[in-house]
């Protein structure tokens, strides 16, 4: 489950008035849910036995196999994580000092279906593995791409300048561009980022 969760993308989900990032993985053996508001990260990892026990407490009228229960939970969460929540299923959350509870209300076999995800603060290693390390890796990749594009732009400017010195002229003046100024570009970009963040 933990390995499979690493391959799942983060999704933006709206629960009431709050927006979270979430990812989840469901199997016949249990599930893992990871959810964050970018200030805190919460986590629940539950095996089939615990799911069976909780389902008996929450859904006394339902008698289905635990694997069917987990499959149904997966089908309820999938549209939410895809940004297309099912109107027949309601989600709500409650924050507390000990963690975050996600409440689900739907139907199964024509009967009311309830589920509570009990998420506790995620261990540091889980946060690092699923959030910090991927973000750092992506940041490094983007920095490398910017360096490559900057180098390519400077080469293109040198090529254009060589054409101009050889007497070449533009057939359409609207295509004329100013030489790329790396320092000015970075300053303007950072100014836009700061204004967007504020």
């Amino acid at each position: 489950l933990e390995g499979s969760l690493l391959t799942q993308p983060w999704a933006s989900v709206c629960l009431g008035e709050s927006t979270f990032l979430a990812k989840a993985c469901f199997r016949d053996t249990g599930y893992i849910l990871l959810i964050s508001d970018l200030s805190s990260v919460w986590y629940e990892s539950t095996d089939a036995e615990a799911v069976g026990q909780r389902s008996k407490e929450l859904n006394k009228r339902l008698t289905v196999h635990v694997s069917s229960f987990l499959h149904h939970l997966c089908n309820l969460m999938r549209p939410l994580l895809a940004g297309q929540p099912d109107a027949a299923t309601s989600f709500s959350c409650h924050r507390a000092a000990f963690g975050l509870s996600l409440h689900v209300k739907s139907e199964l076999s024509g009967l009311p279906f309830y589920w509570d995800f009990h998420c506790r603060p995620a261990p540091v290693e889980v946060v690092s593995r699923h959030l910090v390390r991927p973000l750092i890796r992506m940041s490094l990749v983007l920095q490398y791409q910017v360096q490559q594009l900057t180098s390519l732009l400077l080469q293109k400017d040198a090529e254009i300048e060589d054409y101009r010195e050889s007497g070449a002229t533009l057939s359409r003046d609207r295509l004329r561009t100013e030489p790329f100024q790396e320092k000015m570009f970075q300053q303007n970009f950072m100014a836009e980022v700061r204004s967007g963040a504020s």
Side-chain angles (χ1 to χ4, degrees), residues 5 10 13 15 18-24 32-45 93-102 117-123 126-127 130-131:
L5 187 65
W10 285 95
V13 298
L15 301 171
S18 303
T19 301
F20 297 89
L21 290 176
K23 54 165 42 183
I32 297 180
L33 172 67
L34 205 53
I35 186 165
S36 173
D37 62 358
L38 296 184
S39 294
S40 301
V41 181
W42 300 275
Y43 168 91
E44 184 181 33
S45 178
C93 68
H94 174 70
R95 303 184 203 218
F98 60 87
L100 179 137
S101 294
L102 175 59
F117 292 94
H118 300 306
C119 301
R120 63 188 187 279
V126 170
V127 176
H130 290 276
L131 203 58

Side-chain angles (χ1 to χ4, degrees), residues 63 108 135 139 154 167:
T63 53
L108 177 58
L135 285 173
S139 177
L154 293 173

Side-chain angles (χ1 to χ4, degrees), residues 83-96:
Q84 300 169 329
D86 187 348
T89 305
S90 67
F91 294 89
S92 60
C93 68
H94 174 70
R95 303 184 203 218

Side-chain angles (χ1 to χ4, degrees), residues 170-177:
L170 284 171
S171 59
R172 287 169 288 182
D173 199 57
R174 62 183 175 81
L175 296 177
R176 186 180 304 279
T177 58

